[in-house]
Amino acid sequence: MAGTVASATPARAGTRAVVRPPALVPGDRVRVIAPAGVPDTRLARGIQILEGFGLVVEAGAHLYDRYGYLAGTDADRLADLNAAFRDPGVRGVFAARGGYGTQRIIDRLDLAAVRRDPRVFVGFSDLTVLSGRLWTAARLVSFYGPMVNWTDTRTGPTEIESLRKAIMTMDPIVLTSDPAEPSAAVSVPGTATGTLLGGNLTMLQAGVGTRDLPDLHRAILLLEDTDESAYSYDRMLTHLTRSGALRGIAGVAIGQFTNAPVVSGQWTAAQAVQDRLATLGVPVLGGLRIGHGNGQLTVPLGARATIDTTTATLTVAPGVAPRS
């Protein structure tokens, strides 16, 4: 039986009130929605995993719609998004998949509903804009982790447990840099502590000048991306730097560089990123299994985090609050 829903626990981060949603417990209703691209048959496996946590999984009304490359019209995807955050019985919202499309509806998110009754949200990639908006508008911690369109060859038992612990327990999250990850080559020595914010680099750059991009002052910036060449990483980080978005950051945590082309005689993605970030004068830790690659782990965005290049670890405080 589900426990009583607790009010989200506020904490202080500088002058800002951080809101941790109540931890999910077996018996909770959760809803799967598709704010961006169209899910496929892999969705059944993701739903099975959530049900394995003891959660009662509901499908958004338009979850299986299709409108071009989008999972339904803007109006219908927005309706599912807002319905999930308005229903007091829904304690968690899970994105079916990424792709593209969240930007088209994010400005009409019902922020009053988000603030009135905070709950768990899980997504990554294109959903970076939604996590960013939940933070900038409500200081709500969200979870950067696998979406319900699940692939066991990419995310296996370890990754399932990482997701469960992040959204259902008060355990701190500790990730260790994996030397096998291409981004492990990116490193600037040191230790730094701050609020973990960020996500997909392409979406962060696209957020410049919008209400989706968080204020990164004193933050640990999380970056990852897929299918981008070395010069694209360079271009996006250069744009973020020139825009002033990276001014005053405390450090950088680098996730996965998935499917980055390697061209003989040219920089790799890691070399391009090293060149750009080394000039910021802050600690940088690469090799974290966060993003589009195999072994994707879950981390809370908006929680307090520390990177330590000596121990090669990212340590993040729990993203959920205890249930009463």
Side-chain angles (χ1 to χ4, degrees):
M1 180 180 294
T4 302
V5 174
S7 297
T9 301
R12 300 302 297 181
T15 60
R16 304 180 301 174
V18 177
V19 178
R20 294 182 298 153
L24 294 175
V25 298
D28 275 347
R29 287 169 51 208
V30 299
R31 191 167 297 172
V32 180
I33 59 170
V38 182
D40 56 36
T41 56
R42 292 173 293 172
L43 200 62
R45 174 58 177 147
I47 290 173
Q48 181 185 53
I49 288 167
L50 295 180
E51 290 175 339
F53 295 164
L55 303 172
V56 179
V57 183
E58 304 174 348
H62 301 282
L63 178 61
Y64 299 101
D65 288 5
R66 181 186 293 269
Y67 179 69
Y69 41 73
L70 303 167
T73 65
D74 287 357
D76 287 342
R77 296 189 339 277
L78 177 67
D80 276 8
L81 176 62
N82 281 333
F85 279 99
R86 288 168 179 163
D87 187 334
V90 172
R91 304 317 310 157
V93 181
F94 292 79
R97 66 157 295 178
Y100 168 75
T102 310
Q103 284 179 308
R104 292 173 56 131
I105 62 174
I106 193 63
D107 292 328
R108 289 173 286 165
L109 173 64
D110 186 345
L111 296 173
V114 171
R115 296 185 185 107
R116 182 171 59 248
D117 187 10
R119 65 204 69 192
V120 165
F121 169 72
V122 181
F124 83 109
S125 192
D126 189 73
L127 280 300
T128 295
V129 297
L130 179 51
S131 288
R133 195 74 185 105
L134 294 175
W135 176 257
T136 61
R139 288 298 184 265
L140 179 62
V141 174
S142 60
F143 297 84
Y144 203 77
M147 289 183 274
V148 185
N149 221 49
W150 196 279
T151 305
D152 279 308
T153 55
R154 192 179 80 82
T155 37
T158 297
E159 292 72 48
I160 292 172
E161 178 61 8
S162 172
L163 174 61
R164 189 197 68 81
K165 287 180 65 176
I167 61 178
M168 301 185 76
T169 81
M170 299 299 299
D171 296 343
I173 295 165
V174 181
L175 275 63
T176 302
S177 177
D178 183 348
E181 288 291 340
S183 70
V186 184
S187 179
V188 176
T191 301
T193 298
T195 303
L196 186 68
L197 295 170
N200 178 258
L201 180 55
T202 295
M203 301 315 300
L204 293 171
Q205 187 215 11
V208 171
T210 74
R211 293 172 291 177
D212 313 329
L213 184 66
D215 180 354
L216 300 173
H217 186 66
R218 296 182 181 175
I220 302 294
L221 173 62
L222 172 65
L223 299 175
E224 64 83 22
D225 219 316
T226 186
D227 298 314
E228 297 290 347
S229 60
Y231 82 85
S232 295
Y233 284 95
D234 184 328
R235 171 178 48 77
M236 290 186 283
L237 287 170
T238 298
H239 184 200
L240 287 170
T241 302
R242 294 182 64 225
S243 73
L246 305 187
R247 187 176 301 119
I249 64 171
V252 185
I254 307 291
Q256 294 166 313
F257 296 158
T258 312
N259 299 333
V262 177
V263 180
S264 178
Q266 296 186 12
W267 277 345
T268 63
Q271 288 171 318
V273 171
Q274 178 76 33
D275 179 79
R276 292 287 75 198
L277 295 182
T279 64
L280 298 179
V282 300
V284 179
L285 176 67
L288 301 168
R289 287 196 287 117
I290 304 169
H292 291 75
N294 291 334
Q296 179 191 9
L297 302 173
T298 302
V299 292
L301 297 177
R304 198 75 170 162
T306 297
I307 54 172
D308 185 336
T309 60
T310 300
T311 59
T313 54
L314 166 69
T315 304
V316 194
V320 290
R323 295 283 281 261
S324 61

